[in-house]
Amino acid sequence: MVADSSFAKQYCQLCAEVCEWCASQCEEHKNKHCKLCAESCRRCMEECKKIAAA
């Protein structure tokens, strides 16, 4: 992204999809660290979606 790659938006879209998948997997567990991971993944997903849509 620093190099203004023509693939930056595609990379961010893929990252958003991976984060969404990870969050859904972590949400299936009751452990606190899994819930924290899911929250973190959701925040990352939202930011990546913003960049991908820009």
Side-chain angles (χ1 to χ4, degrees):
M1 291 183 61
V2 172
D4 197 27
S5 171
S6 60
F7 295 103
K9 288 185 179 186
Q10 291 170 296
Y11 177 77
C12 288
Q13 181 59 42
L14 177 60
C15 184
E17 291 175 26
V18 171
C19 288
E20 185 173 26
W21 176 85
C22 183
S24 68
Q25 296 299 303
C26 289
E27 287 171 344
E28 293 181 11
H29 303 281
K30 294 182 187 213
N31 300 320
K32 183 176 180 176
H33 66 271
C34 292
K35 299 296 183 190
L36 292 173
C37 182
E39 289 175 25
S40 179
C41 287
R42 294 264 180 230
R43 284 191 305 272
C44 183
M45 177 191 71
E46 291 302 322
E47 293 304 314
C48 288
K49 282 183 176 183
K50 288 178 189 176
I51 295 168

